[in-house]
């Protein structure tokens, strides 16, 4: 009934709620990840995941440990512990603990450096990813959110677009998304995807986050997960 082509692999959610990969030119029959309800044939436009490593390549457990390759963090004097990596329902994740007492008022976890992803004012970008709190507490954390930060060619901040992330219990580890239209004007040359924690200055915090398969794509809405292992990846139309 349908003539169907797609010149790349692509992911979908099967009836058991697992992310699976369909081969080139193989149709995807998507499902609600919670209920298992069939959502029918999944047809999408071409998109690029500009986050080069969303499968946790290079992460090493330890205190502080090593973040996935290309990821950066600004945590002031707070401590960091990479607890390890894993996969659940086809979602690659890293578990990251942030703890201690610091005079800093925020922690920013960058999924790319400030000048890696070229962008222009007026473009729509969407960030998505899987998040949960698996240990510690949200005490003294006033806000957790996605950041789609507009930056100059030198990496200076122009506009800090952000939206709250729900730090759900690990049993409801699920995908969340946020879209923003860049508005910083002619100086905007790059965009940076981040996870942001706003904390009470001088207060102790101890929280462990599970972060799974972050994605940044140019477009007004997030699409299916595009795995990356070191370079930006394209899902064909």
């Amino acid at each position: 009934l349908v003539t169907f082509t797609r010149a790349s692999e692509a992911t979908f959610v099967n009836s058991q709620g697992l992310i699976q990969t369909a081969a080139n030119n193989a149709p995807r029959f998507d499902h609600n990840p919670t209920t298992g309800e069939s959502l029918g044939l999944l047809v999408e436009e071409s998109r690029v995941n500009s986050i080069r490593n969303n499968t946790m390549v290079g992460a090493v457990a330890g205190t502080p440990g090593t973040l996935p390759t290309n990821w950066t963090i600004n945590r002031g004097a707070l401590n960091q512990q990479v607890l390890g990596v894993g996969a659940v329902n086809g979602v690659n994740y890293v578990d990251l603990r942030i703890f201690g007492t610091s005079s800093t008022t925020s922690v920013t976890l960058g999924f790319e450096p400030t000048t890696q992803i070229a962008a222009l004012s007026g473009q729509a970008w969407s960030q998505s990813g899987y998040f949960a709190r698996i240990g510690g507490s949200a005490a003294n954390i006033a806000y957790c959110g996605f950041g789609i930060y507009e930056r100059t060619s030198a990496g200076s901040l122009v506009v800090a677009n952000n939206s709250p992330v729900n730090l759900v219990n690990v049993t409801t580890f699920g995908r969340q998304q946020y879209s923003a239209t860049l508005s910083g004007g002619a100086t905007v040359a790059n965009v940076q995807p981040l996870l942001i924690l706003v904390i009470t200055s001088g207060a102790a915090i101890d929280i462990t986050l599970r972060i799974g398969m972050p994605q940044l794509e140019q477009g007004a809405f997030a699409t299916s997960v595009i795995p990356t292992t070191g370079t930006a990846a394209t899902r064909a139309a």
Side-chain angles (χ1 to χ4, degrees), residues 91-102:
V91 177
N92 298 85
Y93 66 79
V94 62
D95 290 338
L96 177 65
R97 180 188 178 204
I98 301 294
F99 62 102
T101 303
S102 175

Side-chain angles (χ1 to χ4, degrees), residues 4-228:
F4 179 90
T5 61
R6 186 188 59 252
S8 75
E9 295 182 339
T11 64
F12 67 101
V13 179
N14 70 12
S15 59
Q16 286 74 49
L18 308 178
I19 292 180
Q20 289 194 320
T21 300
N24 290 29
N25 298 322
R28 297 174 290 167
F29 294 93
D30 208 26
H31 297 78
N32 182 299
T34 302
T35 67
E37 177 188 6
S38 174
L39 302 177
L41 179 66
L42 177 58
V43 178
E44 297 178 299
E45 63 196 78
S46 179
R47 287 289 182 89
V48 177
N49 184 3
S50 295
I51 296 175
R52 293 171 291 171
N53 175 23
N54 74 347
T55 57
M56 315 309 156
V57 173
V60 179
T63 306
T66 303
L67 292 172
T69 303
N70 301 324
W71 292 27
T72 63
I73 192 167
N74 183 355
R75 55 184 168 82
L78 290 167
N79 302 304
Q80 167 190 306
Q81 182 180 14
V82 176
L83 296 178
V85 299
V88 59
N89 294 338
V91 177
N92 298 85
Y93 66 79
V94 62
D95 290 338
L96 177 65
R97 180 188 178 204
I98 301 294
F99 62 102
T101 303
S102 175
S103 59
T104 187
T105 57
S106 67
V107 174
T108 54
L109 176 66
F111 303 120
E112 286 287 352
T114 58
T115 59
Q116 173 61 33
I117 303 172
L120 296 172
S121 187
Q123 292 176 339
W125 288 81
S126 296
Q127 186 181 177
S128 56
Y130 293 79
F131 298 96
R133 178 179 60 82
I134 66 166
S137 76
N140 298 317
I141 297 176
Y143 175 83
C144 177
F146 281 124
I148 300 179
Y149 278 19
E150 303 173 45
R151 296 191 178 275
T152 67
S153 59
S156 298
L157 179 63
V158 181
V159 177
N161 305 293
N162 62 85
S163 179
V165 165
N166 182 18
L167 290 180
V168 294
N169 183 275
V170 68
T171 57
T172 51
F173 181 54
R175 197 178 190 211
Q176 302 181 54
Q177 61 185 49
Y178 166 56
S179 299
T181 299
L182 308 189
S183 59
T187 61
V188 175
N190 296 285
V191 67
Q192 184 186 26
L194 302 134
L195 184 68
I196 306 155
L197 296 177
V198 177
I199 63 179
T200 304
S201 179
I205 69 165
D206 191 344
I207 188 169
T208 302
L209 302 175
R210 176 161 291 176
I211 304 163
M213 300 191 86
Q215 182 158 308
L216 182 72
E217 51 195 305
Q218 187 181 339
F221 53 89
T223 62
S224 60
V225 174
I226 304 172
T228 56

